Amino acid sequence: MEEPKHNIHWVTFLLSWVAGFCDTVTFVSGGAIFSAHVTGNFITFAAQMVSGGRSGDWIKLMTFPIFVVAVMAGGWLSTVLVRKYRILMVESLLLILTGVAAMFLPLMNSFMVYLLVFMVVVAMGLQNAFGKLFAKETHGPTTMMTGNVTQAALDLGNLVRTGFKEPAALQSLRNVSILIGGFLLGCLMGGIMARYLGLTSIIGPGVAICICYLTREALPRRQQV
């Protein structure tokens, strides 16, 4: 059975928004830990160590092996799931579960906070795996913006040199702008929501991905049965 077509602009924007949202929420409310761009935790760990950080700051380094295992799991899921978008459904369930757990579990204990953050790291690992395995489903990486900003700068340079008369560069710039814009909006909304709801706000991205899955994957399949 052929998979239904997906709106690449919508999926690109949504996944970028989710990554920016989750990265900001875990940084603001989860002990200054990046959940999407996990290598950033190396920097915060080193900065805290040289400034007399606490002994427990090493926990930030745990995000790296957890992320690696999550990506490996995503690769395995891609081989056993009939439809590739089901990887995102697993991500959605993890995010919703994290948000619900944060709502009902006491977070005064730092162990619980780190546990919930690690669940978000796993979800972002699955999203990264999805992006690598099915690169044509989006306009580019949805969790790390440095490469996208570099591409946007190159495209803009080409357009300036040609008097904005190069269609390929213009289209590329538009595509990359969806990635960067989605991520930026996710960061802004994540920061606001984290201030008032803390880790509970992770429910939002989970529900958004779930809606994406149901509208782009489950509904067409029901119609074809």
Side-chain angles (χ1 to χ4, degrees):
M1 182 184 299
E2 184 180 356
E3 291 194 353
K5 298 298 181 181
H6 302 281
N7 186 323
I8 188 171
H9 301 306
W10 162 244
V11 174
T12 296
F13 181 85
L14 175 67
L15 293 183
S16 299
W17 178 85
V18 167
F21 193 106
C22 291
D23 224 15
T24 304
V25 169
T26 56
F27 189 85
V28 173
S29 299
I33 295 178
F34 292 107
S35 55
H37 191 196
V38 292
T39 51
N41 295 318
F42 293 169
I43 299 172
T44 57
F45 169 76
Q48 289 172 340
M49 287 298 98
V50 299
S51 61
R54 301 164 298 178
S55 59
D57 288 333
W58 62 269
I59 199 74
K60 289 182 171 58
L61 298 181
M62 289 295 295
T63 59
F64 187 74
I66 290 173
F67 183 85
V68 170
V69 172
V71 172
M72 293 170 62
W76 173 75
L77 286 172
S78 71
T79 66
V80 299
L81 297 178
V82 177
R83 298 183 175 217
K84 52 189 171 234
Y85 268 60
R86 288 182 179 172
I87 297 178
L88 297 183
M89 190 59 186
V90 176
E91 175 189 354
S92 169
L93 294 175
L94 278 172
L95 293 176
I96 293 174
L97 179 61
T98 300
V100 172
M103 184 184 304
F104 293 103
L105 294 178
L107 299 183
M108 299 301 294
N109 189 330
S110 60
F111 171 79
M112 290 304 305
V113 173
Y114 289 134
L115 179 61
L116 295 177
V117 170
F118 290 159
M119 290 175 63
V120 181
V121 171
V122 172
M124 291 297 100
L126 294 178
Q127 181 168 316
N128 273 273
F130 176 86
K132 281 291 185 182
L133 293 169
F134 310 112
K136 292 183 179 181
E137 295 297 309
T138 62
H139 291 311
T142 59
T143 58
M144 296 172 286
M145 291 298 113
T146 304
N148 294 326
V149 173
T150 301
Q151 184 61 55
L154 291 172
D155 293 334
L156 183 59
N158 289 335
L159 289 171
V160 170
R161 288 194 299 271
T162 60
F164 289 83
K165 297 179 180 180
E166 188 173 338
L170 183 59
Q171 184 60 51
S172 177
L173 181 60
R174 289 172 177 168
N175 293 342
V176 174
S177 296
I178 295 175
L179 288 158
I180 299 173
F183 191 86
L184 176 59
L185 181 61
C187 290
L188 293 173
M189 294 181 65
I192 295 171
M193 297 301 290
R195 178 180 179 184
Y196 296 103
L197 298 177
L199 291 174
T200 301
S201 57
I202 290 294
I203 292 177
V207 171
I209 292 181
C210 183
I211 293 173
C212 175
Y213 173 82
L214 292 175
T215 56
R216 298 293 177 179
E217 191 81 1
L219 182 57
R221 186 184 183 190
R222 287 197 299 269
Q223 292 175 341
Q224 294 173 8
V225 173

